[in-house]
Amino acid sequence: MTIKENIVNIQYQLTSKITLVAATKKRTSQEIRQAIAAGITHIGENYVKEALNKNLQGLATLHLIGHLQTNKVKTAVQLFDIIETVDSQKLAKEIDKQCKTINKIMPILIEINSGNEKNKTGIPPEQATKLITIISKLNNIKIQGLMTMAPHNKDPEQSRPYFKATKKIFDEIKSLAINDVEMKTLSMGMSHSYTIAIEEGATQVRLGTAIFGER
Ligand SMILES: *Cc1c(COP(=O)(O)O)cnc(C)c1O
């Protein structure tokens, strides 16, 4: 199947309420441009430098979906339209600071380490509300939701509890109605798990393999 056929098939399954982000790490500029020509409007990149080299600005809404190091924030805030992987006060403050200098308000998602896995990025679920409450006071970021990667498992059904848990936090934070916090985006689900993520309340899925084939 071509990239275009894959995208048509996926979009057929998604309702208009679900945002499809093409996860494009290791894909060539040409493949990405084919996806855009086939209707992709959101691109997710994992690495700042790789994204920069692909010259994607202006072609689609650019999401940073990989972990962001503080020393790359300055470049990242110029390049990306949304940063999905904020998981610490330190990172949020640096994004805020760098955005101030370029007069930008950066939409962000908070990355939840829903499996409470060691050595994995994302904030532990029980610390999410506190982090959000604190960083919501920063003027140059705008919290718009949550993102999670469930622990890796071949059987996507095993991801369901983690999606469920993240949706629960999402709803709890929404019900707190914290000032300047908009809980509208729940980014979860990858190629093998996205239908389950959607059943559990995802509003955005991040797909690589399903669009482009194996990496
Ligand atoms: C690579 C990646 C994806 C997409 O993975 P596929 O299994 O290829 O769909 C989604 N989210 C993140 C954060 C990724 O790094």
Side-chain angles (χ1 to χ4, degrees):
M1 293 242 263
T2 65
I3 290 173
K4 177 161 186 179
E5 285 165 340
N6 288 336
I7 291 169
V8 169
N9 286 339
I10 293 161
Q11 276 170 342
Y12 184 73
Q13 297 169 44
L14 302 179
T15 70
S16 59
K17 285 187 187 134
I18 309 287
T19 303
L20 172 59
V21 176
T24 51
K25 58 175 177 279
K26 297 191 186 154
R27 308 298 176 178
T28 63
S29 289
Q30 198 199 351
E31 288 173 296
I32 297 169
R33 279 162 175 78
Q34 277 177 41
I36 290 168
I40 288 292
T41 55
H42 293 262
I43 295 288
E45 283 281 345
N46 287 65
Y47 306 102
V48 175
K49 201 169 168 207
E50 186 179 328
L52 196 61
N53 290 340
K54 287 175 181 169
N55 273 315
L56 301 170
Q57 261 178 308
L59 297 181
T61 302
L62 294 186
H63 299 235
L64 180 62
I65 61 172
H67 183 64
L68 178 58
Q69 289 170 307
T70 321
N71 64 350
K72 304 253 169 64
V73 169
K74 190 178 176 180
T75 314
V77 298
Q78 295 176 46
L79 187 57
F80 289 97
D81 300 301
I82 174 163
I83 297 174
E84 299 202 9
T85 49
V86 176
D87 61 359
S88 70
Q89 270 193 63
K90 184 178 171 223
L91 180 58
K93 280 182 180 160
E94 184 64 20
I95 295 170
D96 181 69
K97 180 182 148 195
Q98 295 298 340
C99 281
K100 218 160 250 143
T101 69
I102 59 167
N103 217 359
K104 181 168 179 175
I105 293 175
M106 179 63 77
I108 65 164
L109 305 183
I110 305 303
E111 183 182 357
I112 308 290
N113 180 358
S114 54
N116 254 315
E117 293 172 282
K118 277 188 190 140
N119 308 321
K120 187 137 168 204
T121 55
I123 184 149
E126 68 277 7
Q127 294 173 25
T129 305
K130 187 176 172 210
L131 175 69
I132 289 172
T133 306
I134 293 169
I135 69 176
S136 67
K137 298 189 174 75
L138 299 169
N139 289 325
N140 288 68
I141 60 167
K142 173 88 186 128
I143 302 168
Q144 296 192 331
L146 306 180
M147 178 271 209
T148 198
M149 296 243 297
H152 181 72
N153 199 298
K154 278 212 181 76
D155 174 10
E157 201 43 63
Q158 301 295 319
S159 301
R160 192 185 292 278
Y162 303 101
F163 294 150
K164 233 186 237 302
T166 308
K167 168 72 157 103
K168 188 162 171 262
I169 302 168
F170 182 83
D171 289 340
E172 279 166 12
I173 292 167
K174 194 184 231 174
S175 73
L176 293 175
I178 302 165
N179 236 342
D180 282 328
V181 175
E182 192 184 7
M183 276 292 129
K184 67 170 185 182
T185 303
L186 183 53
S187 175
M188 53 188 198
M190 308 181 5
S191 292
H192 78 312
S193 61
Y194 73 95
T195 49
I196 290 169
I198 291 169
E199 286 168 14
E200 297 303 334
T203 69
Q204 177 182 299
V205 295
R206 310 176 308 267
L207 309 187
T209 313
I211 294 174
F212 300 101
E214 291 296 329
R215 269 183 299 276

